[in-house]
Amino acid sequence: MQTLPLFKDYDIEIPKTEGIKYTGSKLKLLPHILKLAKKVEAHTILDAFSGTTRVSQAFAKLGYQVISNDLAIWSKVFGQCYLLNQKQPSEYQELIDHLNNLPPKDGWFTENYGGNPNHGCAIQADGLKKPWQVHNTRKLDAIREEIETLQLSTVDKAVALTSLILALDQVDNTLGHFVSYLKNWSPRSYKTLQLEVPNVFISSKPNQVFCQDIFELIPEISVDLAYLDPPYGSNNEKMPPSRVRYASYYHLWKTICLYDQPHLFGKAKRRQDTSDKLAGSVFEEFRCNENGRFLAVEAIEKLIQKVPAHWVILSYSSGGRATAEELNAVLKRNGKVLDVINLDYKKNVMASMKWTNQWLQEVEKPNQEFVFLLEK
Ligand SMILES: C[S@@+](CC[C@H](N)C(=O)[O-])C[C@H]1O[C@@H](n2cnc3c(N)ncnc32)[C@H](O)[C@@H]1O
């Protein structure tokens, strides 16, 4: 563990966490989120939009009791692996070695997502670019079939799938999502897929993991603190927040978890159930309602009001002054803002605001992330 002297009054332990490349991952913000949580007397924490589960992992390692939730099935699998595990990492070594040593084979993943090296060109005979080279999809086909055949317990299976996804993320031919693939094979796609035992740990508290729309989950639970990181707050220079569609970006991780050989469409061969018409979330909505209110901000307000927690930590990245002003009004209406942290994620510079409205002056600058601590 690394200790970061963030402020004079706090030394924060930053536990090591693990995850895939993910648009909106809060890896860089983690120390600041942990610092805000430490300011209040919280023991139970809801990570309502857990994604990579890095935030959940950190809270669980620090001894908090964690409820982790995300719409994405692969996030649930990661949560089961890291938050529900009761074994030492070494106890998984035999399983991981067994999976690594399987003879590669042709199968559904190779047919749809595997490509030949072609002297560096990832465009294949079918005219499509591919996310992995065929030597790795053949390993994927063999390993994924075996994980099913072994009939593992829920957590063992989650550990195997997490290990497989983390390994595939290391040899992909993408810019960090699966709505398009690179034209020329990335250097890492030539490497051989190699599974490792995930950095599992045994939590001191009974954590819980869910895969639900957050509005369906909140009537069922109660926590001291809720960490809210909706998609609305994501950032990616190449893709404005309004265009980030999580279900379509990471469709392949869903298919690997479900192992259901779904109907595919489009050049990236996405699952049909991740088409923009079917999938998506109110938090990804960038339109306004008939009264001119942003639908996403309206959803955030409803969530802050309904989430059964005394404190809320909310992540937000700059989406322009109009939404920021609306969000500021939402925060004021629904509690007391105890602290605001502003991070320039490009420069990696952090500032704590002197007064709570000050953040509105920073919002027009590029690459700004904000984290609010709210008492309801
Ligand atoms: C900004 S990302 C969270 C990133 C995460 N904090 C991390 O560090 O990896 C937003 C997440 O919200 C999830 N999501 C979108 N709409 C949701 C909903 N209605 N209920 C639950 N999760 C949702 C997406 O699947 C996505 O993983």
Side-chain angles (χ1 to χ4, degrees):
M1 278 199 196
Q2 186 194 352
T3 301
L4 185 80
L6 255 183
F7 291 95
K8 286 185 199 101
D9 48 343
Y10 289 114
D11 271 355
I12 305 286
E13 272 183 313
I14 307 161
K16 275 216 169 79
T17 61
E18 220 170 38
I20 49 165
K21 295 188 282 297
Y22 200 51
T23 302
S25 162
K26 291 303 174 290
L27 180 57
K28 276 191 187 168
L29 275 173
L30 201 45
H32 311 299
I33 295 164
L34 299 179
K35 179 238 159 193
L36 287 182
K38 206 170 167 181
K39 284 195 162 187
V40 299
E41 260 301 302
H43 302 283
T44 51
I45 296 187
L46 166 68
D47 183 6
F49 303 85
S50 54
T52 59
T53 72
R54 280 186 186 271
V55 177
S56 292
Q57 290 174 44
F59 277 130
K61 281 189 165 178
L62 290 175
Y64 292 98
Q65 185 173 340
V66 178
I67 298 178
S68 183
N69 176 66
D70 198 286
L71 269 182
I73 181 75
W74 59 265
S75 177
K76 181 182 179 185
V77 168
F78 272 49
Q80 289 168 330
C81 164
Y82 294 108
L83 302 177
L84 307 185
N85 168 61
Q86 290 297 320
K87 293 185 191 171
Q88 295 299 332
S90 57
E91 294 179 66
Y92 294 109
Q93 194 61 57
E94 200 181 329
L95 169 64
I96 298 300
D97 288 345
H98 170 67
L99 297 174
N100 273 326
N101 291 326
L102 291 168
K105 65 186 285 187
D106 282 322
W108 186 85
F109 286 105
T110 301
E111 192 186 315
N112 291 295
Y113 299 108
N116 291 309
N118 281 342
H119 307 290
C121 177
I123 302 171
Q124 302 296 303
D126 60 2
L128 301 179
K129 296 174 254 172
K130 301 288 167 173
W132 290 290
Q133 295 206 17
V134 78
H135 67 277
N136 284 326
T137 51
R138 295 186 79 234
K139 282 181 82 78
L140 164 61
D141 272 313
I143 292 170
R144 187 60 192 90
E145 184 182 80
E146 183 69 358
I147 291 173
E148 216 55 25
T149 308
L150 287 173
Q151 302 212 333
L152 301 165
S153 69
T154 303
V155 176
D156 285 9
K157 186 173 180 183
V159 169
L161 286 173
T162 300
S163 172
L164 175 60
I165 291 173
L166 290 174
L168 284 164
D169 188 50
Q170 294 297 310
V171 296
D172 68 332
N173 185 46
T174 79
L175 278 175
H177 58 69
F178 294 94
V179 286
S180 61
Y181 313 122
L182 298 172
K183 193 168 144 199
N184 296 315
W185 287 114
S186 66
R188 63 172 174 268
S189 66
Y190 290 89
K191 292 195 229 152
T192 301
L193 185 79
Q194 182 72 27
L195 276 58
E196 287 173 17
V197 176
N199 282 327
V200 291
F201 52 93
I202 300 174
S203 294
S204 53
K205 305 277 167 29
N207 304 315
Q208 287 173 286
V209 182
F210 296 94
C211 179
Q212 288 186 37
D213 181 299
I214 192 60
F215 288 110
E216 279 171 27
L217 177 67
I218 49 180
E220 314 289 321
I221 58 165
S222 170
V223 287
D224 300 326
L225 186 154
Y227 173 55
L228 309 181
D229 184 19
Y232 179 70
S234 67
N235 64 60
N236 177 335
E237 302 125 71
K238 296 191 181 63
M239 203 63 82
S242 56
R243 301 271 305 280
V244 176
R245 295 272 182 261
Y246 277 96
S248 57
Y249 264 38
Y250 300 100
H251 61 96
L252 254 157
W253 299 148
K254 178 175 183 179
T255 302
I256 286 169
C257 289
L258 294 180
Y259 196 44
D260 56 353
Q261 303 195 356
H263 288 295
L264 305 174
F265 74 98
K267 288 187 175 170
K269 295 211 169 192
R270 276 159 56 186
R271 305 171 57 90
Q272 212 144 47
D273 62 4
T274 63
S275 82
D276 293 343
K277 281 183 219 120
L278 294 176
S281 161
V282 61
F283 298 99
E284 292 173 350
E285 196 49 83
F286 231 61
R287 284 174 300 185
C288 292
N289 67 10
E290 62 278 9
N291 303 321
R293 269 199 93 192
F294 288 101
L295 291 169
V297 179
E298 201 169 62
I300 290 175
E301 176 155 35
K302 187 171 143 202
L303 184 56
I304 292 173
Q305 286 167 352
K306 297 211 160 160
V307 73
H310 187 62
W311 296 283
V312 169
I313 295 179
L314 174 72
S315 275
Y316 173 77
S317 66
S318 184
R321 182 167 268 280
T323 42
E325 276 174 358
E326 256 200 45
L327 186 67
N328 203 39
V330 164
L331 293 170
K332 282 197 169 152
R333 264 201 299 276
N334 291 285
K336 187 172 171 218
V337 178
L338 301 179
D339 207 342
V340 185
I341 285 175
N342 170 211
L343 184 89
D344 185 318
Y345 68 84
K346 271 285 186 61
K347 296 189 189 142
N348 224 353
V349 175
M350 193 278 293
S352 202
M353 303 278 119
K354 286 195 191 68
W355 69 95
T356 50
N357 273 355
Q358 195 190 348
W359 73 280
L360 283 173
Q361 295 170 9
E362 309 296 318
V363 84
E364 300 284 26
K365 294 184 190 161
N367 313 319
Q368 302 299 306
E369 299 242 18
F370 301 91
V371 193
F372 303 92
L373 173 62
L374 184 77
E375 184 169 29
K376 291 216 294 172

